């Protein structure tokens, strides 16, 4: 357990150092979700055709926009793994006296810093637009936990993908092909109830759906009913891809 914690802290410190000297990417990553809130949200709110159970539309999409941003920065975290393979750093990491799962956990956990930064940027903007965010400390802590576990899950997912990609160009192509369908095939910007049945099947196996639903409950609605199901689905997702990424990690240097 000590080796896992040490690896996680070491990689998180490394990520913090990177961000300290290069913050440009963090700000540019926040541009797209801000546009969703500032432009798309108010425009669609005028349509008044989507059943949001009385929740203002901008408030309804806020958790989805946050999770879309978290997913985007987490999925492209695997790009770092591909770059480290090309530069030879990854081989040095594998000679360290720690398990592959420690490395995967450490790398996945490092994405938490970027995810929380996105949360810290987008949430005040949503509040400025009139979104009422639950200020209860319990709901706030649960919201942060949901962001954290989602970031770790999608980072592990990206590392698993990176084990099969030998170049950064291939990984970027796969990453872009995954993020957009994940976002639109979820409950991020419209409720599941209005979707065609075939799309509902895809939505229900999409981990982003459960992340958005959980964050909407804790951040906007303020209810715990059904939250356990969402957290269970996210936990299964995280554990599954940490195990898969760890078992396939050696493949990336072959």
């Amino acid at each position: 357990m000590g080796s896992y914690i040490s690896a996680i802290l070491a990689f998180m410190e490394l990520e913090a150092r990177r961000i300290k000297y290069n913050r440009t990417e963090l700000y540019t990553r926040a541009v797209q979700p801000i546009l969703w809130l500032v432009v798309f949200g108010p425009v669609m709110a005028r349509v008044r055709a989507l059943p949001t159970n009385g929740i203002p539309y901008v408030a309804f999409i806020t958790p989805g926009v946050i999770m879309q941003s978290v997913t985007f920065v987490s999925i492209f975290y695997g790009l770092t793994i591909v770059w480290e393979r090309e530069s030879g750093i990854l081989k040095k990491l594998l000679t360290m006296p720690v398990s592959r799962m420690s490395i995967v956990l450490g790398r996945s956990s490092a994405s938490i810093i970027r995810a929380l930064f996105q949360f810290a940027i987008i949430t005040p903007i949503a509040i400025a637009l009139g979104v009422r965010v639950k200020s209860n400390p319990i709901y706030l802590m649960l919201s942060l936990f949901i962001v954290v576990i989602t970031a770790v899950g999608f980072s592990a997912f990206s590392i698993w993908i990176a084990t099969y990609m030998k170049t950064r160009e291939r990984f970027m192509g796969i990453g872009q092909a995954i993020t957009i369908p994940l976002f639109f095939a979820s409950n991020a910007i419209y409720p599941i109830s209005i979707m065609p049945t075939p799309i509902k099947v895809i939505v229900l196996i999409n981990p982003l759906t459960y992340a958005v639903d959980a964050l909407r409950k804790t951040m906007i609605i303020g209810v715990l009913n059904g939250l356990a199901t969402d957290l269970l689905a996210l936990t299964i997702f995280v554990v599954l891809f940490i195990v898969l990424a760890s078992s396939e990690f050696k493949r990336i240097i072959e």
Side-chain angles (χ1 to χ4, degrees), residues 181-224:
L182 276 175
F183 179 57
F184 285 103
S186 73
N187 56 349
I189 55 177
Y190 31 67
I192 299 176
S193 59
I194 67 172
M195 299 179 186
T197 301
I199 302 298
K200 286 182 180 180
V201 175
I202 299 174
V203 169
L204 292 176
I205 62 174
N206 182 355
L208 187 58
T209 298
Y210 299 96
V212 172
D213 187 61
L215 189 61
R216 188 172 286 139
K217 288 173 180 175
T218 58
M219 184 178 181
I220 304 299
I221 305 174
V223 297
L224 300 180

Side-chain angles (χ1 to χ4, degrees), residues 23-235:
R23 302 177 185 177
T24 305
E25 183 184 356
L26 292 176
Y27 298 125
T28 55
R29 293 290 191 194
V31 172
Q32 185 178 8
I34 290 172
L35 289 175
W36 278 100
L37 289 178
V38 175
V39 179
F40 181 82
V43 170
M44 289 300 296
R46 292 177 177 272
V47 177
R48 301 182 185 276
L50 296 176
T52 58
N53 294 325
I55 304 173
Y57 187 71
V58 176
F60 180 83
I61 68 170
T62 294
V65 169
I66 291 173
M67 282 306 176
Q68 185 259 1
S69 182
V70 169
T71 301
F72 196 84
V73 298
S74 299
I75 279 188
F76 280 95
Y77 198 79
L79 191 62
T80 303
I81 301 296
V82 178
W83 176 81
E84 289 180 347
R85 171 189 174 274
E86 295 176 349
S87 62
I89 296 175
L90 200 58
K91 287 187 177 180
K92 295 180 180 180
L93 285 177
L94 291 175
T95 62
M96 295 172 59
V98 293
S99 66
R100 295 191 186 99
M101 186 171 287
S102 296
I103 297 175
V104 171
L105 274 172
R107 284 300 189 193
S108 299
S109 299
S111 66
I112 293 173
I113 298 176
R114 293 178 181 268
L116 292 178
F117 193 91
Q118 296 298 307
F119 181 85
I121 290 178
I122 298 170
T123 302
I125 293 174
I127 294 174
L129 292 173
V131 176
R132 294 184 178 181
V133 176
K134 297 300 177 183
S135 58
N136 186 311
I138 295 177
Y139 288 129
L140 176 60
M141 294 302 296
L142 285 171
S143 297
L144 292 175
F145 175 74
I146 292 162
V147 170
V148 166
I149 194 173
T150 303
V152 172
F154 279 105
S155 295
F157 177 57
S158 74
I159 292 173
W160 175 68
I161 294 174
T163 61
Y164 293 91
M165 301 292 108
K166 300 303 181 182
T167 65
R168 282 175 282 180
E169 291 76 14
R170 287 185 180 181
F171 183 89
M172 289 180 68
I174 293 295
Q176 290 175 350
I178 290 174
T179 51
I180 298 302
L182 276 175
F183 179 57
F184 285 103
S186 73
N187 56 349
I189 55 177
Y190 31 67
I192 299 176
S193 59
I194 67 172
M195 299 179 186
T197 301
I199 302 298
K200 286 182 180 180
V201 175
I202 299 174
V203 169
L204 292 176
I205 62 174
N206 182 355
L208 187 58
T209 298
Y210 299 96
V212 172
D213 187 61
L215 189 61
R216 188 172 286 139
K217 288 173 180 175
T218 58
M219 184 178 181
I220 304 299
I221 305 174
V223 297
L224 300 180
N225 186 30
L227 183 63
T229 301
D230 293 329
L231 293 179
L232 177 61
L234 288 174
T235 301

